[in-house]
Amino acid sequence: LLQNQQVKPSGLPTGTERFDSGFAVGARIGYEEGPWRFEAEYAYRRNGTDSITIGGASFSGLGGSRQSNAFLANLLYDFDLGWPVKPHIGAGIGGVDIIDKASAPRLGTFFNGNAWEFGYQAIGGLRYDLTPNIAVDLDYRYFATTEATFHAPGTNITYKTGYNSHNVLASIVYRLGPPAPDIWPLAFAGEV
């Protein structure tokens, strides 16, 4: 769910762009050390444009989309409360390529621009271990970037807009190595 975004064109009144529910897909690779997880993440998000309003005038015939390619580093902490399901929290930062496309009937796509911005996310979720090597995650992620500036081709018109979304993601996790053995009982087994 990409929130409605303010559009601030140069020399024109501020407007609003509304988006439909979109989708997110991605991959993560990381390292677990006790309750800590370190991840490198790539995520692609896409939302279609429902409507654009500028200065009270609605341009309902306009369409398009807003997309993003996010490259993030995440840090997460798992809480082992003795339950089969482990809650976790975390955060991530990185670079995001935001792509804005606009189209109109009979014109097709008349704008296709991108801007790289700083991105960040807050993560909260649950993990369930199916086996020692396979787990299932269900996460809520608030994902946002700094304000992006786009340039309309062939003109001096620029506009600024934001990117912040609410995401519910399900993941299947495969651990490449076996769980680390508990070495303390083995070390003291001969002394009892």
Side-chain angles (χ1 to χ4, degrees):
L1 175 64
L2 179 59
Q3 291 180 262
N4 297 340
Q5 300 294 322
Q6 271 198 338
V7 179
K8 303 170 194 168
S10 57
L12 295 171
T14 298
T16 303
E17 193 169 1
R18 290 178 171 74
F19 299 92
D20 60 16
S21 295
F23 69 90
V25 64
R28 302 186 315 257
I29 187 167
Y31 178 77
E32 285 185 31
E33 181 67 40
W36 293 99
R37 284 189 273 147
F38 308 92
E39 299 176 344
E41 174 185 345
Y42 165 75
Y44 172 78
R45 292 171 172 86
R46 184 187 187 286
N47 294 83
T49 304
D50 276 344
S51 67
I52 300 172
T53 305
I54 296 178
S58 180
F59 299 92
S60 57
L62 293 179
S65 65
R66 182 157 302 161
Q67 303 163 49
S68 68
N69 293 290
F71 301 89
L72 303 170
N74 300 325
L75 176 64
L76 295 100
Y77 185 85
D78 291 309
F79 296 94
D80 189 352
L81 305 174
W83 305 341
V85 175
K86 292 180 184 174
H88 57 261
I89 59 170
I93 58 171
V96 182
D97 181 26
I98 303 171
I99 303 161
D100 239 11
K101 293 185 179 183
S103 59
R106 298 183 187 164
L107 287 178
T109 300
F110 63 88
F111 179 78
N112 185 357
N114 74 308
W116 280 91
E117 296 298 325
F118 174 75
Y120 52 94
Q121 64 181 348
I123 305 166
L126 302 169
R127 172 169 280 189
Y128 178 70
D129 289 322
L130 297 172
T131 71
N133 289 88
I134 299 174
V136 177
D137 284 356
L138 183 63
D139 287 348
Y140 163 77
R141 295 182 180 221
Y142 173 78
F143 172 76
T145 69
T146 52
E147 193 172 65
T149 301
F150 295 94
H151 303 275
T155 72
N156 291 331
I157 298 173
T158 62
Y159 68 94
K160 294 182 178 188
T161 186
Y163 192 107
N164 53 327
S165 65
H166 303 275
N167 306 264
V168 177
L169 302 172
S171 305
I172 295 175
V173 178
Y174 181 75
R175 294 182 182 103
L176 297 175
D182 188 355
I183 60 169
W184 294 111
L186 295 175
F188 294 108
E191 298 179 15
V192 177

